[in-house]
Amino acid sequence: MMASKKVVAASVLLVSGALALSACGSSGGDSSSGGTVLGFSQVGAESGWRTANTTSIQSAATDAGVDLKFSDAQQKQENQIKAIRTYIQQKVDVIAFSPVVETGWEPVLQEAKRANIPVILTDRSVDTTDESLYATFLGSDFVAEGVKAGDWLVQNSATSDVNADGRINVVELEGTTGAAPAIDRAEGFRDAISSQPSISISASQTGDFTRDGGKQVMESFLNSDKNIDVVYSHNDDMGLGAIEAIEAAGLVPGKDIKIITVDAVKDGMQALADGKIDFIVECNPLLGPQLMDLTKKVVNGEEVPKRVVTEETTFTRDQAASVLADRQY
């Protein structure tokens, strides 16, 4: 095992404006109601997934009677560090956050530890050599998500029309540089396709998990390479942006160029049902109830698992069409 350990990190709520800290209920550990106070720094509002994640945690906090302080880091690590230090000063009961990147967290986590404030990590990972800096983490196995995406391509490569010339040329839309899902989804995908020599990645560039970013990067790919067979996008939003670029170039997404994405938000699932996306690996954003349960347990001194992995599935076109009407996000 590597000396540096990855931990999947926490998610809660967005507010407009960088580092606008506010409370749902009373403030700080001095809550007059005696309820648990949770301080959370959300990575941003870059995608439909993140919006659904925020809504889930907001609703769950209300249902659980948890006083919620939150901030939107606008995808800047310095904003998150400032928010965490503010929560420490306010003496909240628990701190949770979803980190923009994996590295650079140990100093502020040490500050939280010295203040005896437990930290819950969900959604994304951090690199740390000291597991005592966090109480638990909740989220997805991003490497496994990448493996699922790659396995589907390998399994469908023999019969897919993208394999007509015997080679499959993949371009990759990466998430935010340095972010755990971007690192791990790339790793898992490469591990899976390594078993099939006919599949190769010709270009990989960050679209920062945004639809506009995915569109701009795909436009660049199309301008430089006329033989793209497959797009592997680290999230639905970038994949949806890629669809816009592919259609603008006079090509048919899902036919001329196959598209594989991760998340399974409603817009992505609709595109899958419509045949514009070929396969989606689910990454469940509805973590709110589990986060509130873990928050109350660590406050009460109960033993909690060091890692809680969410259950997730995958979707083909027919499967997406069958569940779309009841999709919550």
Side-chain angles (χ1 to χ4, degrees), residues 8 139-146 148 184-185 307 309-310 312:
V8 179
S140 303
D141 185 334
F142 298 131
V143 174
E145 291 171 352
K148 291 174 185 176
D184 292 352
R185 287 170 186 166
R307 175 172 182 168
V309 178
T310 53
E312 294 160 341

Side-chain angles (χ1 to χ4, degrees), residues 5 41 59 72 105 124 126 143 169 210 212 216 256 276:
K5 299 192 179 178
S41 175
S59 298
D72 174 358
W105 300 104
R124 293 186 175 187
V126 300
V143 174
N169 178 23
T210 67
D212 284 345
Q216 291 170 14
D256 295 324
K276 295 184 177 184

Side-chain angles (χ1 to χ4, degrees), residues 47 49 64 68 76 107 122 130 165 197 221 252 264 276 284 305:
S47 65
W49 191 99
L68 186 64
K76 295 180 181 179
T122 73
D130 184 358
D165 60 357
F221 286 160
V252 180
K276 295 184 177 184
N284 186 359

Side-chain angles (χ1 to χ4, degrees), residues 52-100:
N53 178 245
T54 291
T55 301
S56 174
I57 297 168
Q58 285 175 324
S59 298
T62 299
D63 293 343
V66 171
D67 289 336
L68 186 64
K69 293 178 177 288
F70 54 87
S71 68
D72 174 358
Q74 298 186 341
Q75 296 182 286
K76 295 180 181 179
Q77 184 179 33
E78 60 267 30
N79 288 347
Q80 290 194 302
I81 291 173
K82 289 177 184 177
I84 292 169
R85 287 182 171 144
T86 297
Y87 297 144
I88 293 170
Q89 293 170 359
Q90 294 173 340
K91 299 180 181 180
V92 300
D93 297 306
V94 179
I95 293 171
F97 73 108
S98 177
V100 175

Side-chain angles (χ1 to χ4, degrees), residues 156-157 159-165 229 254-256 258:
N156 287 272
S157 61
T159 57
S160 175
D161 56 8
V162 300
N163 202 30
D165 60 357
D229 298 311
K255 182 178 179 182
D256 295 324
K258 303 294 186 183

